[in-house]
Amino acid sequence: MSQMPQHDLSACPGCAEPLETGDRFCGACGYDLSAVPAAAPEPDRPTVAIGTPVSWPEPPSREPGALSTSTQHPGDLPGTDSGGHDLPTTPPYAAPGTPPQAHEAHAAQAQVPQVPEMPVAPPARDLPTIPVRTDGPHAAATSGDGLAALAAGTAPAPAPTADGDFALAAPDPRAAAAQPAPPPAPAQPPADPRTATPPAGTKLCVACRAGHVDPDGYCENCGHAQPRERDHMEQELSTVAAVSDRGLRHHRNEDAFAVSATALPDGSPATLAIVCDGVSSATRPDEASAAAAHAANQSLLAALPRGTHPQQAMHEAIVAAAEAVNALAEEPGQGAMEHDPHRHQNAPACTIVGAVVADGLLIVGWVGDSRAYWVPDDRTSPPARLTQDDSWAAQMVAAGLMNEAEAYADERAHAITGWLGADAYELEPHTSAFKPDRPGVVVVCTDGLWNYAEAADDMARVVPSDATGRLLHGAQVLVGHALDGGGHDNVTVALLPFTLAPQGAGSA
């Protein structure tokens, strides 16, 4: 019958309660003492004989400015191997014939501390020699004397051999240290960031006028978000100027304009301006206004030089603009659902107004509620509004149901009844021709301006008196007037001067 193993524990491994010899289970926690594994025998650890304390030599004296006396070099202390024998005094990495100075240099670079136990150093041996060419006039030195000569800087510098090879040698660090340092560059006064020229392809911040704008549209100096290119646009020609601004409430500019100058077949000048206002309740109104302005401008530039009457050319330009906006609704993946049967229900849409000054005539054309005004240079003469809105308010006034003040005070006043777009009920371009008898300026604008100067007299009061001679400045002043009034909408205005034809010149 087998015997249970006896334990020799003084305390329970489970709860640390004291045990008595012969216990098979712990009286406190019931631990099975027979399952306690036998303790593994302690590995043999040879003892190291400790002799008398080591008598370290006194550190050698140092010259003033040298290393501290508390610093020991490997060569300052005698080393012994694990058997108590002195270590060889020749470093194992030294080749036979190396001068003592080279040994000291190696020792100083190594800075390897001695440890109590270290393997017996192998006997010194020669390092393998790297084969080099020796058939040239400057043979590479491979012996100890040659290395010493190179270290001393007396060996000749390697030169190319007959076949163009070079015998390479390590550069002498003392020669590099002996070279004088280049003189410091003269200090330059810091450049004024306000007058600094931005690098090519970048522009200065519109807020601080100092930082450059990064590709994401933010100033690297003040972090100000820069306006998008279309948020504020200006263009000036000799006979026409236009300004468009996003305003203070809209997140983008949905207005667009186009201004151009051309000539009639007889060589007389013709100036034109197109202003479009995207319908915000439609999809992609900014694209609609841009497409309409571009198409109308191109149509007029093609029709006028070939002799088309300006009023007929204006009618054709509005038709071309409508076709361009209609085409946006047919483009796949541009916001409208391609397979939706009602996908034209919210098609891109915009209004349009244009003016042409040519051959003593003033031609205007429009669809929607963007307007054109006539403001004579002589402010004692009455100004005039040249367009009639396609809007709910205009229909109420035309039907005699409301006067103009009541109609435009209604919340439905700006609901338009005519526009360019695929879902327009019927395209009805309006055109009119005028022949002013005095010089003046034509104001072509969106409702973002005329909301703050609705009547012709109000518009005449805000147009600068020198607008005919300073077209861009005049347009800027009008946009500023709208922004000062609240800037609730995008603001776009174009100014065209009208001058009388010289006496005797032909007219339509």
Side-chain angles (χ1 to χ4, degrees):
M1 175 171 172
S2 63
Q3 301 247 340
M4 295 293 292
Q6 300 293 322
H7 70 82
D8 56 353
L9 300 175
S10 60
C12 173
C15 62
E17 285 292 323
L19 299 175
E20 295 181 3
T21 304
D23 288 345
R24 296 183 180 180
F25 298 93
C26 175
C29 66
Y31 191 95
D32 186 0
L33 301 177
S34 63
V36 178
E42 187 176 355
D44 183 21
R45 294 193 181 98
T47 58
V48 178
I50 302 298
T52 58
V54 178
S55 177
W56 297 104
E58 292 294 330
S61 60
R62 305 289 182 185
E63 297 180 359
L67 294 175
S68 169
T69 56
S70 62
T71 302
Q72 301 289 337
H73 288 266
D76 295 338
L77 301 176
T80 60
D81 60 20
S82 59
H85 306 288
D86 291 340
L87 292 176
T89 56
T90 302
Y93 45 74
T98 306
Q101 295 84 354
H103 296 305
E104 296 176 2
H106 285 299
Q109 293 176 1
Q111 296 284 331
V112 179
Q114 303 295 333
V115 294
E117 294 185 4
M118 59 186 304
V120 178
R125 59 185 177 85
D126 292 338
L127 290 176
T129 303
I130 300 175
V132 295
R133 295 185 61 90
T134 57
D135 53 350
H138 301 283
T142 57
S143 64
D145 295 338
L147 293 174
L150 286 175
T154 59
T161 58
D163 56 359
D165 289 344
F166 283 83
L168 301 180
D172 186 358
R174 296 169 300 176
Q179 295 180 357
Q188 298 292 336
D192 187 355
R194 295 171 297 179
T195 60
T197 302
T202 62
K203 58 182 180 180
L204 287 177
C205 172
V206 300
C208 67
R209 303 302 301 172
H212 298 153
V213 179
D214 64 18
D216 292 334
Y218 291 87
C219 175
E220 297 176 349
N221 179 48
C222 67
H224 188 88
Q226 303 302 297
R228 289 167 289 189
E229 182 178 359
R230 193 164 169 179
D231 285 353
H232 185 89
M233 301 178 291
E234 297 183 357
Q235 187 175 357
E236 181 181 28
L237 305 178
S238 59
T239 55
V240 63
V243 176
S244 180
D245 192 89
R246 183 185 67 182
L248 304 179
R249 302 296 181 88
H250 278 236
H251 69 284
R252 64 181 175 185
N253 189 1
E254 298 170 357
D255 289 356
F257 69 82
V259 293
S260 298
T262 184
L264 302 180
D266 62 357
S268 59
T271 305
L272 58 102
I274 302 293
V275 170
C276 297
D277 184 358
V279 178
S280 296
S281 59
T283 58
R284 298 147 58 200
D286 53 335
E287 297 181 32
S289 61
H294 176 75
N297 181 68
Q298 294 300 313
S299 178
L300 286 169
L301 290 178
L304 293 174
R306 63 173 183 254
T308 304
H309 190 279
Q311 191 168 354
Q312 178 64 29
M314 178 62 72
H315 184 279
E316 296 174 356
I318 295 176
V319 173
E323 293 174 350
V325 178
N326 293 348
L328 293 178
E330 301 173 0
E331 295 180 1
Q334 294 294 327
M337 296 179 63
E338 189 171 3
H339 302 292
D340 186 354
H342 304 291
R343 71 190 190 98
H344 289 319
Q345 185 176 358
N346 197 27
C350 69
T351 67
I352 187 171
V353 62
V356 174
V357 174
D359 196 23
L361 291 178
L362 169 57
I363 308 297
V364 295
W366 73 97
V367 173
D369 62 348
S370 294
R371 294 181 177 180
Y373 291 83
W374 162 255
V375 179
D377 290 344
D378 181 6
R379 298 304 168 86
T380 60
S381 301
R385 199 178 91 191
L386 307 179
T387 57
Q388 188 70 31
D389 296 344
D390 289 322
S391 67
W392 180 90
Q395 285 189 349
M396 294 298 103
V397 174
L401 301 177
M402 293 182 180
N403 60 38
E404 191 166 330
E406 294 172 342
Y408 283 99
D410 193 282
E411 61 181 6
R412 298 166 289 179
H414 290 278
I416 58 176
T417 58
W419 61 88
L420 305 183
D423 57 356
Y425 300 118
E426 185 178 356
L427 179 62
E428 295 181 0
H430 310 292
T431 61
S432 297
F434 303 91
K435 191 174 183 180
D437 60 351
R438 65 200 65 197
V441 63
V442 184
V443 180
V444 184
C445 64
T446 62
D447 60 345
L449 172 61
W450 65 254
N451 278 333
Y452 301 98
E454 186 174 334
D457 291 337
D458 297 334
M459 184 64 70
R461 277 193 292 270
V462 298
V463 173
S465 58
D466 60 349
T468 302
R470 302 175 64 192
L471 296 174
L472 182 59
H473 173 261
Q476 292 169 338
V477 169
L478 293 177
V479 170
H481 174 76
L483 298 180
D484 292 342
H488 287 74
D489 200 354
N490 307 144
V491 188
T492 303
V493 57
L495 296 183
L496 297 87
F498 180 88
T499 56
L500 292 177
Q503 294 294 330
S507 63

Tab-separated table of all heavy atoms in Angstrom, residues 132-141 150 155-169:
chain	number	residue	atom	x	y	z
A	132	VAL	N	44.680	46.821	-52.638
A	132	VAL	CA	44.624	48.089	-53.360
A	132	VAL	C	45.617	48.021	-54.505
A	132	VAL	O	46.483	47.149	-54.562
A	132	VAL	CB	44.968	49.282	-52.427
A	132	VAL	CG1	43.922	49.430	-51.343
A	132	VAL	CG2	46.336	49.095	-51.791
A	133	ARG	N	45.428	48.976	-55.384
A	133	ARG	CA	46.357	49.011	-56.520
A	133	ARG	C	47.703	49.550	-56.059
A	133	ARG	O	47.778	50.493	-55.298
A	133	ARG	CB	45.791	49.899	-57.625
A	133	ARG	CG	44.501	49.354	-58.244
A	133	ARG	CD	44.090	50.224	-59.409
A	133	ARG	NE	45.113	50.215	-60.442
A	133	ARG	CZ	45.165	49.352	-61.441
A	133	ARG	NH1	44.260	48.401	-61.523
A	133	ARG	NH2	46.114	49.402	-62.341
A	134	THR	N	48.794	48.890	-56.532
A	134	THR	CA	50.143	49.317	-56.161
A	134	THR	C	51.005	49.564	-57.380
A	134	THR	O	52.216	49.669	-57.275
A	134	THR	CB	50.824	48.247	-55.302
A	134	THR	OG1	50.845	47.013	-56.025
A	134	THR	CG2	50.062	48.044	-53.993
A	135	ASP	N	50.340	49.650	-58.551
A	135	ASP	CA	51.143	49.801	-59.758
A	135	ASP	C	51.238	51.254	-60.202
A	135	ASP	O	51.780	51.543	-61.247
A	135	ASP	CB	50.550	48.960	-60.900
A	135	ASP	CG	49.072	49.266	-61.113
A	135	ASP	OD1	48.497	49.982	-60.252
A	135	ASP	OD2	48.504	48.799	-62.111
A	136	GLY	N	50.665	52.195	-59.445
A	136	GLY	CA	50.740	53.604	-59.831
A	136	GLY	C	51.886	54.292	-59.158
A	136	GLY	O	52.589	53.734	-58.310
A	137	PRO	N	52.125	55.519	-59.504
A	137	PRO	CA	53.212	56.272	-58.877
A	137	PRO	C	52.957	56.547	-57.413
A	137	PRO	O	53.885	56.805	-56.668
A	137	PRO	CB	53.260	57.570	-59.699
A	137	PRO	CG	51.885	57.703	-60.283
A	137	PRO	CD	51.416	56.317	-60.518
A	138	HIS	N	51.646	56.538	-57.001
A	138	HIS	CA	51.336	56.781	-55.597
A	138	HIS	C	50.714	55.520	-55.053
A	138	HIS	O	49.502	55.397	-54.948
A	138	HIS	CB	50.365	57.963	-55.449
A	138	HIS	CG	50.914	59.228	-56.025
A	138	HIS	ND1	51.863	59.982	-55.382
A	138	HIS	CD2	50.656	59.860	-57.206
A	138	HIS	CE1	52.152	61.047	-56.117
A	138	HIS	NE2	51.438	60.986	-57.232
A	139	ALA	N	51.523	54.538	-54.713
A	139	ALA	CA	51.016	53.275	-54.193
A	139	ALA	C	50.450	53.490	-52.809
A	139	ALA	O	50.983	54.254	-52.006
A	139	ALA	CB	52.140	52.249	-54.145
A	140	ALA	N	49.338	52.805	-52.532
A	140	ALA	CA	48.706	52.942	-51.218
A	140	ALA	C	49.534	52.229	-50.174
A	140	ALA	O	50.019	51.128	-50.393
A	140	ALA	CB	47.297	52.352	-51.255
A	141	ALA	N	49.730	52.843	-49.007
A	141	ALA	CA	50.511	52.260	-47.922
A	141	ALA	C	49.642	51.313	-47.127
A	141	ALA	O	48.539	51.649	-46.739
A	141	ALA	CB	51.041	53.369	-47.010
A	150	LEU	N	50.307	58.289	-43.074
A	150	LEU	CA	49.038	58.913	-43.430
A	150	LEU	C	48.465	59.680	-42.246
A	150	LEU	O	47.908	60.773	-42.396
A	150	LEU	CB	48.035	57.838	-43.889
A	150	LEU	CG	48.277	57.233	-45.280
A	150	LEU	CD1	47.281	56.112	-45.532
A	150	LEU	CD2	48.159	58.299	-46.357
A	155	ALA	N	52.214	61.450	-45.902
A	155	ALA	CA	52.129	60.577	-47.078
A	155	ALA	C	51.554	61.349	-48.238
A	155	ALA	O	50.729	62.238	-48.066
A	155	ALA	CB	51.255	59.360	-46.766
A	156	PRO	N	52.002	61.037	-49.463
A	156	PRO	CA	51.456	61.754	-50.623
A	156	PRO	C	49.984	61.403	-50.817
A	156	PRO	O	49.535	60.306	-50.509
A	156	PRO	CB	52.311	61.249	-51.797
A	156	PRO	CG	52.824	59.913	-51.343
A	156	PRO	CD	53.010	60.045	-49.860
A	157	ALA	N	49.223	62.367	-51.301
A	157	ALA	CA	47.792	62.160	-51.541
A	157	ALA	C	47.604	61.205	-52.696
A	157	ALA	O	48.360	61.219	-53.665
A	157	ALA	CB	47.120	63.501	-51.870
A	158	PRO	N	46.599	60.317	-52.634
A	158	PRO	CA	46.361	59.397	-53.745
A	158	PRO	C	45.963	60.146	-55.006
A	158	PRO	O	45.330	61.184	-54.952
A	158	PRO	CB	45.212	58.518	-53.236
A	158	PRO	CG	44.722	59.106	-51.980
A	158	PRO	CD	45.663	60.169	-51.550
A	159	ALA	N	46.368	59.607	-56.096
A	159	ALA	CA	46.088	60.224	-57.394
A	159	ALA	C	45.518	59.165	-58.315
A	159	ALA	O	45.715	57.971	-58.101
A	159	ALA	CB	47.373	60.813	-57.989
A	160	PRO	N	44.798	59.550	-59.337
A	160	PRO	CA	44.236	58.563	-60.262
A	160	PRO	C	45.341	57.816	-60.989
A	160	PRO	O	46.376	58.375	-61.323
A	160	PRO	CB	43.385	59.410	-61.212
A	160	PRO	CG	43.945	60.781	-61.109
A	160	PRO	CD	44.471	60.924	-59.713
A	161	THR	N	45.087	56.534	-61.199
A	161	THR	CA	46.037	55.711	-61.925
A	161	THR	C	45.768	55.834	-63.416
A	161	THR	O	44.915	56.600	-63.867
A	161	THR	CB	45.897	54.252	-61.489
A	161	THR	OG1	44.552	53.832	-61.717
A	161	THR	CG2	46.200	54.114	-59.997
A	162	ALA	N	46.516	55.021	-64.174
A	162	ALA	CA	46.423	55.127	-65.634
A	162	ALA	C	45.036	54.789	-66.149
A	162	ALA	O	44.571	55.351	-67.131
A	162	ALA	CB	47.473	54.221	-66.280
A	163	ASP	N	44.361	53.848	-65.477
A	163	ASP	CA	43.022	53.469	-65.952
A	163	ASP	C	41.925	54.256	-65.267
A	163	ASP	O	40.755	53.938	-65.408
A	163	ASP	CB	42.795	51.975	-65.740
A	163	ASP	CG	42.991	51.580	-64.290
A	163	ASP	OD1	43.317	52.466	-63.468
A	163	ASP	OD2	42.806	50.390	-63.985
A	164	GLY	N	42.271	55.324	-64.498
A	164	GLY	CA	41.266	56.199	-63.919
A	164	GLY	C	40.841	55.824	-62.524
A	164	GLY	O	40.013	56.522	-61.937
A	165	ASP	N	41.346	54.700	-61.929
A	165	ASP	CA	40.955	54.322	-60.589
A	165	ASP	C	41.669	55.195	-59.574
A	165	ASP	O	42.751	55.729	-59.818
A	165	ASP	CB	41.285	52.853	-60.318
A	165	ASP	CG	40.378	51.932	-61.101
A	165	ASP	OD1	39.338	52.424	-61.577
A	165	ASP	OD2	40.707	50.743	-61.224
A	166	PHE	N	41.073	55.308	-58.404
A	166	PHE	CA	41.668	56.067	-57.315
A	166	PHE	C	41.934	55.131	-56.151
A	166	PHE	O	41.179	54.200	-55.898
A	166	PHE	CB	40.726	57.187	-56.832
A	166	PHE	CG	40.693	58.382	-57.749
A	166	PHE	CD1	39.886	58.381	-58.870
A	166	PHE	CD2	41.475	59.490	-57.483
A	166	PHE	CE1	39.848	59.475	-59.705
A	166	PHE	CE2	41.436	60.578	-58.308
A	166	PHE	CZ	40.627	60.575	-59.428
A	167	ALA	N	42.999	55.380	-55.419
A	167	ALA	CA	43.254	54.695	-54.157
A	167	ALA	C	42.686	55.563	-53.055
A	167	ALA	O	43.184	56.659	-52.802
A	167	ALA	CB	44.748	54.481	-53.962
A	168	LEU	N	41.598	55.122	-52.444
A	168	LEU	CA	40.884	55.945	-51.489
A	168	LEU	C	41.548	55.874	-50.131
A	168	LEU	O	42.034	54.836	-49.710
A	168	LEU	CB	39.428	55.467	-51.389
A	168	LEU	CG	38.641	55.509	-52.701
A	168	LEU	CD1	37.233	55.006	-52.466
A	168	LEU	CD2	38.624	56.915	-53.266
A	169	ALA	N	41.547	56.958	-49.417
A	169	ALA	CA	42.075	57.016	-48.057
A	169	ALA	C	41.136	57.861	-47.223
A	169	ALA	O	40.463	58.756	-47.734
A	169	ALA	CB	43.474	57.624	-48.043
